[in-house]
DNA sequence: CTATAAACCTGCTGGC
DNA sequence: TGCCAGCAGGTTTATA
């Protein structure tokens, strides 16, 4: 479900509305969503600890705590975070509850809900995540994501370009929606072998990725299933998508029918006219 | 190294 | 209306 823009929406809201709160205690309703069984113990040890800040790396949320621990949340396909007052009932599929006390004294709770139980939560001591984070590629919305950086990410690999975009170790945060959208904006066919891209195409693709992600973020992400912000509002980006979920419909640019194929085991939409 | 398939889970949609 | 097949925004692991 959530890709970089959706996770970033959540991060910004956590930073604004949850940083500074105290975690009074944590309830885990479904241990399957923990990174490992030991995390049950770790979660019990962060009671009465302040949340200091919230960071994002790729699709991973990193909630920093006063004691230097890091609460890491990955929503995978269907996970979502919701901030509620304590007296409001939990929503369906709630898998974990963080009971929070806001600086102004408000008693809140942060729900992690996830019908498919694919998402993962863990608590890490300083340094324990370093190796894992080092496996992620560059952040595509950061200044250092240059043409050279994208070229380096592609490296010597010769695989369909969409495969590279989805590979979190090459570029962090792009998923199926924004891979298809970026390739459409760049006018590049998803099955084009990465080797065959010219420097100009690499530049165009790099710009297309930034444009696509920035636009999605501006619209608070894409909601066609479960992605909602902390307060339950849907993202508005669905209306702005060019190809994703539009197979069989006319291309918004040229009118040709958007096609659907399989690339890297994933449904892939593209315009056969606009993408060569 | 790459590529593919399966696994993890459950809900939803479309076709018959 | 009911049932079944297929699909879903992600990642990991096993197998060629």
């Amino acid at each position: 479900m959530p890709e970089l823009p959706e996770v970033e929406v959540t991060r910004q809201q956590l930073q604004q509305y949850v940083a500074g709160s105290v975690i009074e205690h944590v309830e885990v309703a479904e241990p399957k969503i923990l990174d490992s069984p030991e995390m049950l113990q770790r979660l019990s040890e962060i009671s009465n600890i302040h949340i200091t800040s919230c960071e994002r790396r790729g699709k991973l949320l990193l909630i920093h705590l006063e004691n230097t621990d890091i609460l890491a949340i990955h929503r995978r396909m269907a996970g979502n975070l919701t901030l509620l007052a304590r007296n409001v009932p939990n929503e369906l599929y709630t898998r974990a509850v963080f009971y929070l006390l806001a600086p102004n004294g408000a008693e809140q709770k942060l729900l992690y809900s996830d019908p498919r139980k694919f998402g993962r939560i863990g608590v890490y001591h300083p340094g324990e995540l370093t190796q894992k984070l080092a496996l992620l590629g560059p952040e595509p919305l950061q200044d250092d994501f240059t043409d050279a950086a994208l070229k380096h990410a592609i490296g010597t690999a010769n695989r369909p370009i969409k495969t590279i975009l989805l590979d979190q170790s090459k570029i962090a945060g792009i998923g199926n929606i924004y891979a298809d959208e970026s390739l459409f904006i760049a006018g590049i066919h998803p099955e084009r072998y990465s080797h065959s891209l010219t420097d100009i195409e690499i530049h165009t693709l790099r710009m297309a990725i930034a444009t696509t992600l920035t636009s999605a973020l501006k619209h608070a992400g894409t909601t066609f299933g479960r992605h909602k912000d902390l307060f339950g509002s849907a993202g508005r980006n669905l209306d702005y998508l060019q190809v994703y979920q539009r197979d069989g419909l006319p291309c918004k640019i040229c009118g040709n029918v958007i096609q659907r194929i399989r690339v890297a085991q994933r449904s892939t939409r593209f315009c056969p006219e606009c993408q060569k």
Side-chain angles (χ1 to χ4, degrees):
Chain A
M1 159 190 203
E3 304 181 28
L4 186 153
E6 291 76 29
V7 180
E8 180 60 18
V9 167
T10 306
R11 184 204 70 78
Q12 289 176 2
Q13 291 187 319
L14 286 172
Q15 179 66 40
Q16 183 172 357
Y17 297 103
V18 171
S21 289
V22 173
I23 299 173
E24 292 197 327
H25 71 286
V26 185
E27 258 174 31
V28 177
E30 174 51 83
K32 275 199 171 124
I33 54 105
L34 300 177
D35 280 337
S36 63
E38 306 87 75
M39 292 303 169
L40 209 49
Q41 172 67 20
R42 292 270 182 112
L43 283 165
S44 75
E45 290 166 358
I46 60 169
S47 292
N48 301 311
I49 308 265
H50 273 87
I51 293 171
T52 52
S53 63
C54 188
E55 182 194 6
R56 178 191 55 74
R57 186 69 176 89
K59 302 169 189 169
L60 187 63
L61 276 170
L62 300 169
I63 299 169
H64 294 271
L65 308 181
E66 195 185 16
N67 69 349
T68 71
D69 278 357
I70 297 171
L71 173 60
I73 302 179
H74 198 306
R75 294 154 65 189
R76 297 273 181 100
M77 292 283 267
N80 216 46
L81 288 166
T82 311
L83 186 61
L84 293 175
R86 290 274 177 97
N87 57 4
V88 175
N90 287 351
E91 55 186 52
L92 208 53
Y93 313 120
T94 295
R95 307 305 187 191
V97 184
F98 299 84
Y99 292 90
L100 304 179
L101 186 60
N104 67 2
E107 296 194 321
Q108 299 179 308
K109 56 185 179 182
L110 181 67
L111 306 184
Y112 177 77
S113 66
D114 187 348
R116 295 178 71 175
K117 307 176 190 171
F118 281 172
R120 292 293 180 266
I121 295 176
V123 176
Y124 296 90
H125 301 324
E128 289 180 340
L129 277 174
T130 315
Q131 272 195 317
K132 194 176 164 181
L133 296 179
L135 294 177
L136 292 173
E139 286 291 326
L141 287 186
Q142 227 160 266
D143 290 342
D144 59 0
F145 187 64
T146 57
D147 291 356
L150 178 54
K151 196 167 183 173
H152 181 259
I154 292 170
T156 56
N158 195 21
R159 311 145 65 188
I161 185 62
K162 176 165 177 185
T163 310
I164 309 271
L165 297 187
L166 289 176
D167 185 339
Q168 301 301 298
S169 72
K170 304 291 187 202
I171 307 165
I174 299 176
N176 209 30
I177 298 178
Y178 302 115
D180 282 2
E181 291 297 309
S182 300
L183 288 166
F184 174 84
I185 299 294
I188 296 171
H189 191 291
E191 286 180 306
R192 273 284 297 284
Y193 275 82
S194 48
H195 224 59
S196 74
L197 296 189
T198 64
D199 283 356
I200 291 175
E201 286 177 316
I202 289 174
H203 169 75
T204 307
L205 179 56
R206 198 258 299 174
M207 299 298 282
I209 290 168
T211 303
T212 302
L213 295 176
T214 303
S215 163
L217 182 55
K218 192 176 83 185
H219 301 127
T222 302
T223 299
F224 69 78
R226 289 199 85 253
H227 166 72
K228 298 279 175 62
D229 74 5
L230 273 195
F231 306 102
S233 296
R236 307 175 303 278
N237 198 236
L238 194 58
D239 296 338
Y240 299 88
L241 298 181
Q242 305 285 330
V243 288
Y244 190 80
Q245 287 269 312
R246 295 197 71 251
D247 38 302
L249 298 173
C251 171
K252 292 180 181 178
I253 303 297
C254 76
N256 273 66
V257 177
I258 301 298
Q259 306 290 309
R260 186 172 84 152
I261 56 174
R262 282 314 264 189
V263 179
Q265 287 27 83
R266 310 295 297 277
S267 270
T268 298
R269 282 82 168 190
F270 72 104
C271 171
E273 193 55 36
C274 296
Q275 295 173 261
K276 299 298 184 188

